[in-house]
Amino acid sequence: MSSTPLANSLAESGCHLYSGCGFPAPNIDIFQFNPYLSFEVLGIQFEFSKPTLVMLVGIIVILIFFSFAFAKPRMVPKKTQSIGELSYLFVRDQIGRETIGKDADRFMPFLFSLFCFVAVMNVMGIIPLMQFPVMAIFAFPVSLAIMVWLTYMYLGFRHQGAGFIKNMCVPSGVPIGVLIILAPIEFFSNIIIRPFTLAIRLFANMFAGHLLLTVFIVATLYLASFSVLGILGSTASFVMTVIMTGFEFGIELLQAYIFTLLTASYIAGSLHAEH
Amino acid sequence: MSQLLAAAEGVTGSLKGLGAIGYGLAAIGPGIGIGIIFGNGVQAIARQPEAYGVIRQNMFIGFALAEALALLGFVAPFVFSGG
C-alpha cells in the first residue's frame, strides 16, 4: 500500500512505518462524524451524531451527580456532597464574588451551570469511550457565547439604560481628540469582538488539544513495528500521549474557569459603569 | 512574495504549510504577552500574598485576552483553507 490513508481509518488500512505509506497526519476530517440518524423537521436537516450524543451523556451525568449530591444534604457532608459543595463554593467565591461583588449570588445559577457544562463537556475529551471534547465543534461554544452576549447586553440596558452603550464606548478621562479613534474601537471590541473571541478561545483550545492528542496516538500506531526506530518512536509517542492527556485535563478545567470568569466580568461590567 | 508562495508550494506540494508558518508568527506576540502577564502576576503575589484572589483573577483575564490572539492565528489557516 503506497497511498496515505486518513487518520481515522489508520487501524483498518494496516498502514505503518515500513509499509510504504506516509504519516497519516490527522487533519480537520477527525472532527467530522457520520450521523447515527438524520431527520428533517420543517425543511431543516437535523443530524444526530457523536458530539450530540456525548453532550447528552454529559448533561445526564451532571444531572445525576448533583441530584445525588444534594438529595439529602447533611450538616457534615459525605463524599459526593462535599465535591458538589466544593465546586459550588469555588465558583461562588473565586469567580462570582471576586468579580461581581455582593450581587454575585443572583447570577450563581447561570455561572455555576455554565461552569459545570463547559467543564464536563471539555473533560469528555479524555474520558475513555467518549474521547471527544464537544466544545471542539464550533456550534457549541458559539451558542454559549450568544447566550452570554444576550445576558450581558440585557443586563446592561436594564441597569444603565441607554447610557450603557455610552459607558461602554467612552472611557472616562480620555481627551476628546483620542476619543474619536478610541470610541469606535471600544464599541467594536466590546460588542462585536467580545462574543466572538469568547467562543473562539474555548473552541480553539479544545480543537488544538484534540488534534495534539490525536497526532501522538496516530504516531504510536503508525510507528509500532519491529525496528529500533519503530520501538523507540512508538514508545516515546505513547509516553507523550499519557503526558499530554494529563496536560489536556488541566487545560480543559482552566478553559471552563476562564469562560466563567470572563462571563462574570462581562456581567459585572454591565451592572455598574466603569469609573 | 509570489516567489515565496511558489517556493512554499514547491516544498509542501500545496499552500497548507503556510498555515503552520502563520501560526508560528501569530504565536510570537501572545507568547511574549503571556510571559509578561504571568511573570508580573507571580511577582505581585510574592509581594502581596494576601491579594492572591484579585491578582489571580486579573492575571487569568489578561492571559485569556492575550491567548485569544494566538488561537485566532491557529484557527485562521483552517478557515481559509477551504476557499
Side-chain angles (χ1 to χ4, degrees):
Chain A
M1 178 182 277
S2 60
S3 66
T4 303
L6 287 175
N8 38 8
S9 60
L10 177 70
E12 299 98 78
S13 67
C15 164
H16 64 88
L17 186 56
Y18 294 114
S19 68
C21 63
F23 177 63
N27 54 7
I28 207 154
D29 292 329
I30 61 170
F31 294 94
Q32 271 145 19
F33 296 95
N34 295 324
Y36 298 134
L37 59 104
S38 64
F39 49 93
E40 201 177 302
V41 179
L42 299 171
I44 304 166
Q45 187 76 27
F46 287 95
E47 287 184 342
F48 188 86
S49 57
K50 189 179 171 184
T52 326
L53 183 68
V54 173
M55 183 186 73
L56 288 180
V57 170
I59 291 172
I60 290 168
V61 165
I62 297 174
L63 286 178
I64 289 177
F65 176 78
F66 281 105
S67 52
F68 191 65
F70 295 122
K72 294 194 201 88
R74 300 154 185 262
M75 245 353 236
V76 183
K78 285 251 169 77
K79 251 181 220 160
T80 39
Q81 195 194 341
S82 67
I83 295 174
E85 279 184 7
L86 272 177
S87 56
Y88 182 80
L89 286 180
F90 172 75
V91 176
R92 192 189 68 183
D93 294 341
Q94 307 291 327
I95 301 175
R97 290 193 177 168
E98 203 71 71
T99 318
I100 304 178
K102 62 182 187 326
D103 285 337
D105 291 10
R106 210 146 57 84
F107 299 104
M108 274 314 292
F110 181 55
L111 292 180
F112 189 55
S113 319
L114 209 56
F115 179 79
C116 287
F117 184 70
V118 176
V120 169
M121 290 305 118
N122 286 350
V123 170
M124 283 300 177
I126 59 166
I127 305 258
L129 297 180
M130 301 291 167
Q131 273 167 334
F132 187 79
V134 181
M135 293 299 164
I137 301 288
F138 198 33
F140 292 93
V142 161
S143 7
L144 289 183
I146 290 174
M147 217 156 76
V148 171
W149 187 81
L150 289 176
T151 307
Y152 80 73
M153 290 304 275
Y154 169 75
L155 285 170
F157 281 115
R158 187 158 166 214
H159 285 264
Q160 299 175 34
F164 174 54
I165 297 291
K166 182 183 156 286
N167 290 338
M168 215 173 214
C169 301
V170 183
S172 57
V174 177
I176 188 83
V178 180
L179 213 55
I180 296 169
I181 307 168
L182 192 63
I185 293 176
E186 283 284 308
F187 178 83
F188 197 64
S189 91
N190 284 344
I191 293 177
I192 297 163
I193 300 285
R194 237 183 209 184
F196 187 65
T197 53
L198 194 64
I200 285 272
R201 180 176 303 113
L202 185 55
F203 158 72
N205 265 298
M206 291 307 108
F207 184 85
H210 191 62
L211 210 54
L212 193 69
L213 279 182
T214 320
V215 166
F216 285 115
I217 292 168
V218 167
T220 310
L221 278 174
Y222 174 73
L223 290 171
S225 57
F226 290 106
S227 64
V228 177
L229 177 67
I231 290 171
L232 284 181
S234 183
T235 315
S237 304
F238 182 72
V239 170
M240 278 306 283
T241 308
V242 176
I243 294 172
M244 280 297 151
T245 304
F247 177 71
E248 270 307 302
F249 183 62
I251 295 283
E252 281 154 358
L253 291 183
L254 181 71
Q255 286 307 316
Y257 170 71
I258 286 177
F259 195 90
T260 322
L261 181 67
L262 286 171
T263 305
S265 95
Y266 296 158
I267 288 176
S270 298
L271 292 184
H272 314 287
E274 286 168 46
H275 296 294
Chain B
M1 190 62 199
S2 61
Q3 279 176 336
L4 188 70
L5 289 179
E9 199 161 18
V11 170
T12 60
S14 72
L15 285 177
K16 274 184 181 171
L18 277 183
I21 298 171
Y23 174 66
L25 291 175
I28 297 172
I32 297 171
I34 291 170
I36 291 175
I37 289 162
F38 277 102
N40 287 343
V42 169
Q43 205 171 42
I45 292 169
R47 283 172 189 235
Q48 239 175 334
E50 67 273 14
Y52 175 62
V54 182
I55 294 169
R56 191 191 54 182
Q57 176 214 330
N58 284 313
M59 202 161 83
F60 276 113
I61 289 179
F63 161 71
L65 295 180
E67 188 204 34
L69 297 174
L71 293 174
L72 284 175
F74 175 75
V75 176
F78 287 102
V79 173
F80 295 114
S81 68

